Amino acid sequence: MKLGEGVEAAIHCAAMLAGVDGAATMPGAALAEAFGVSPSYLLKHLNMLTAAGILESVPGPAGGYRLAKPSERITLLDIVLAVEGREPAFRCGEIRQRGPVRLDASAYVKPCGINAAMLKAERAYRAALAEVRLSAIVADYVSEADPRSVAAGCAFVARYQRPQKVHPNQVPPSKSER
Amino acid sequence: MKLGEGVEAAIHCAAMLAGVDGAATMPGAALAEAFGVSPSYLLKHLNMLTAAGILESVPGPAGGYRLAKPSERITLLDIVLAVEGREPAFRCGEIRQRGPVRLDASAYVKPCGINAAMLKAERAYRAALAEVRLSAIVADYVSEADPRSVAAGCAFVARYQRPQKVHPNQVPPSKSER
DNA sequence: GTAGTGTTACTCGGATAAATATTGTCCGAGTGACATCGG
DNA sequence: CCGATGTCACTCGGACAATATTTATCCGAGTAACACTAC
């Protein structure tokens, strides 16, 4: 019963990416620097989030990551499952059948009660995570955390986010930062 | 997010030990044989259950393990925590403080919202496990599972359980088995 | 001045190694049962 | 026949490897920006 250390980083990265405007992106190296983790290792987890459809990655200069969908539609469960895997934590190995007494297979049609109880508990865990949207995490952070921390976070985002190349028929964003 | 394989064995062992009468014990080797797992490795988990006050161990010949308290007072949560450790699965490393912007410690008096959400989910998980008593597991098994499986389990228990030496002022149990 | 083109620097992505936790195995300390011996 | 005693077999308990998983790192493929050149 131990969650990988990358889950925490993944959630923090997603929360920070929720603060970038529009289609702008943020490089993985900047995210790694923001939290003091290994850049190369963080990319692995960000890659899993991308494969799960939570993030989008843009290659090349001015590339990076951004949310693939609005933060209201991303839950903590999505992130945890993407990083830790979708299979349940408790896997019934059917050890009740592995003893010396080999009964007929028809004696084991009923599912293992222990397995059922463990999976029910895990469903409760996942349900609790599914109720927390990324937008709620960000809103709570902005309203509850120390204003200095919020200001530092916003400054970091503004400093490192890279606006995307605009297509000719689109109006370029205001050249506010750098 | 992966539970050790020993958890399943530990729960099954506890359920089987709930079937031994009174103060009788069952050797760890018999439990290992019942589920087809390594005897030496199972002892490690049984030892953890003993350290947690769930089981009692009796050394010497006719020794073994038995429940340390009635099965109504043992929950799945007790067993899972004893085997997997009591600390929560999600450990907040406070990576929000590890970035390049070093704010004053007073900016982090509020707990991390992400950590709060993860711990709340884990509390739901543990609450669900705490509601399942070992006696309920056994009762469900006896009433729901295939009668052949129940009979085989009872026979196994009767075959391998070792009655304890009775003190002089106590009446010896019926010499039914072996 | 403008369009085309080549270079370049920056990004992600996957393959590769080190560290750690889990799983599995072994041997030793301790204890009560059993057989033996003596009364 | 009953009791004391020494031996012994059986138990758990912790120390010792092997394996799997997690963590960390490096190098390559790809892409868009940038500078340069030609028109």
Side-chain angles (χ1 to χ4, degrees):
Chain A
M1 190 63 183
K2 189 170 67 76
L3 259 67
E5 191 179 338
V7 178
E8 185 183 7
I11 299 175
H12 274 96
C13 286
M16 181 164 275
L17 286 175
V20 306
D21 353 299
T25 65
M26 202 164 173
L31 291 167
E33 188 187 354
F35 301 117
V37 299
S38 278
S40 309
Y41 184 40
L42 184 63
L43 285 194
K44 182 170 187 153
H45 296 299
L46 295 178
N47 203 1
M48 290 178 177
L49 294 179
T50 304
I54 297 171
L55 301 185
E56 280 177 352
S57 69
V58 178
Y65 293 93
R66 94 191 119 198
L67 294 185
K69 45 189 175 181
S71 60
E72 289 86 11
R73 303 205 51 177
I74 300 173
T75 69
L76 285 188
L77 180 64
D78 297 327
I79 300 175
V80 170
L81 288 187
V83 176
E84 288 288 319
R86 308 192 67 85
E87 61 225 28
F90 182 83
R91 298 141 299 166
C92 182
E94 287 292 335
I95 63 175
R96 59 177 176 169
Q97 301 183 23
R98 298 191 359 211
V101 284
R102 317 285 292 184
L103 269 69
D104 193 332
S106 63
Y108 299 112
V109 290
K110 283 274 184 181
C112 179
I114 293 171
N115 191 26
M118 296 298 285
L119 261 58
K120 182 179 177 183
E122 200 157 342
R123 274 197 297 273
Y125 177 73
R126 295 189 175 191
L129 285 183
E131 286 177 2
V132 182
R133 288 187 275 279
L134 189 60
S135 55
I137 289 283
V138 175
D140 268 27
Y141 173 68
V142 171
S143 67
E144 295 288 339
D146 189 286
R148 288 171 292 172
S149 175
V150 177
C154 290
F156 196 92
V157 170
R159 167 74 182 78
Y160 280 104
Q161 75 176 2
R162 312 285 186 193
Q164 285 305 289
K165 177 184 184 178
V166 292
H167 289 74
N169 53 356
Q170 291 178 310
V171 42
S174 64
K175 44 176 65 82
S176 55
E177 287 291 339
R178 181 174 177 70
Chain B
M1 192 62 185
K2 190 170 66 75
L3 259 66
E5 191 179 337
V7 180
E8 186 183 7
I11 298 175
H12 274 96
C13 286
M16 180 163 276
L17 286 174
V20 306
D21 352 299
T25 64
M26 201 163 174
L31 291 167
E33 189 187 353
F35 301 117
V37 299
S38 277
S40 308
Y41 185 39
L42 184 63
L43 285 193
K44 184 170 185 153
H45 296 298
L46 295 177
N47 202 0
M48 289 177 179
L49 294 179
T50 304
I54 298 171
L55 300 186
E56 280 178 353
S57 70
V58 178
Y65 293 94
R66 92 189 123 199
L67 294 185
K69 43 188 174 181
S71 60
E72 288 86 11
R73 303 205 50 177
I74 299 175
T75 69
L76 284 188
L77 181 63
D78 298 327
I79 300 174
V80 170
L81 289 187
V83 176
E84 287 288 319
R86 308 193 68 84
E87 62 223 28
F90 183 83
R91 296 141 300 164
C92 184
E94 287 292 336
I95 64 174
R96 58 178 178 171
Q97 301 183 26
R98 303 202 339 226
V101 284
R102 316 286 291 185
L103 270 69
D104 193 331
S106 63
Y108 299 112
V109 289
K110 283 274 185 180
C112 179
I114 294 172
N115 191 26
M118 296 297 287
L119 261 59
K120 182 179 176 184
E122 199 156 343
R123 274 197 296 273
Y125 177 72
R126 295 190 175 192
L129 285 184
E131 286 177 0
V132 182
R133 288 186 277 279
L134 189 60
S135 55
I137 290 282
V138 175
D140 266 29
Y141 172 69
V142 172
S143 67
E144 295 287 340
D146 189 284
R148 287 171 293 173
S149 174
V150 177
C154 291
F156 196 91
V157 170
R159 167 74 182 78
Y160 280 104
Q161 74 177 1
R162 312 282 187 197
Q164 286 305 290
K165 176 183 185 179
V166 293
H167 289 74
N169 51 358
Q170 291 178 307
V171 43
S174 64
K175 45 175 67 79
S176 55
E177 286 292 338
R178 179 180 178 68

